[in-house]
Amino acid sequence: MTRPAREDDLPLVEDAERAYVRDVEPDQEAGWTAALDRNRALWRENLARTTVLEDGGAPAGFVMWTPDGDAALIVTVQVLPPHRRRGHGRRLLEVVAAQARAAGLAEVRLGVHRDNPARALYEAAGFAPAGEDGDYLLFRRPAAPA
């Protein structure tokens, strides 16, 4: 089941983002921590475009996006470790695509760190390479189904 995020979901977002940085980009943890107030403001600003996925009544993951020209730019997508490899990530990506279509946006974009194994999920969900930005690979896909 998915539901709109609430203010009381912000600690979930922060904890999951912190765990991601520690696991995938540990050399960025000090900078991430220094920018925590800016990140908290970003999450709060995009809370209305955040969807929480629940499994058994408990949060299993979430996705957050922001408008970026004619696209929905995914700020973060997280599936909590005990809930991975069950199709939840793909479901969250489809939620963003549907919301982007409803908002009249043409595509969905995201960036992923080269070392993040979730790259395979994005490619399987129809995202195509769209460039690079330092250590990040950029991907895009149409908001409408192919």
Side-chain angles (χ1 to χ4, degrees):
M1 166 181 133
T2 60
R3 64 168 174 79
R6 304 178 303 250
E7 187 81 17
D8 63 345
D9 291 312
L10 288 170
L12 167 71
V13 173
E14 182 172 330
D15 291 347
E17 290 293 287
R18 183 182 307 277
Y20 164 81
V21 169
R22 285 184 176 153
D23 291 347
V24 179
E25 300 182 55
D27 55 326
Q28 299 298 317
E29 187 172 4
W32 184 88
T33 301
L36 191 53
D37 287 340
R38 188 179 68 211
N39 288 330
R40 286 176 176 150
L42 174 72
W43 301 329
R44 189 165 272 108
E45 177 184 319
N46 290 292
L47 191 61
R49 288 178 296 279
T50 303
T51 299
V52 174
L53 178 118
E54 292 184 340
D55 187 7
F62 57 89
V63 63
M64 176 184 294
W65 65 275
T66 191
D68 182 37
D70 67 343
L73 177 63
I74 294 178
V75 173
T76 184
V77 59
Q78 293 274 351
V79 176
L80 303 179
H83 302 278
R84 291 182 181 154
R85 310 215 48 88
R86 297 185 196 171
H88 294 323
R90 182 98 174 233
R91 185 168 179 201
L92 288 168
L93 294 172
E94 293 306 324
V95 165
V96 172
Q99 291 173 348
R101 285 192 305 274
L105 301 173
E107 64 182 17
V108 180
R109 298 179 188 146
L110 60 84
V112 61
H113 193 274
R114 293 178 190 285
D115 296 335
N116 189 333
R119 275 184 17 217
L121 164 67
Y122 305 138
E123 292 167 351
F127 284 82
E132 298 181 14
D133 183 8
D135 288 337
Y136 292 85
L137 303 174
L138 307 177
F139 288 88
R140 65 195 303 166
R141 69 165 263 200

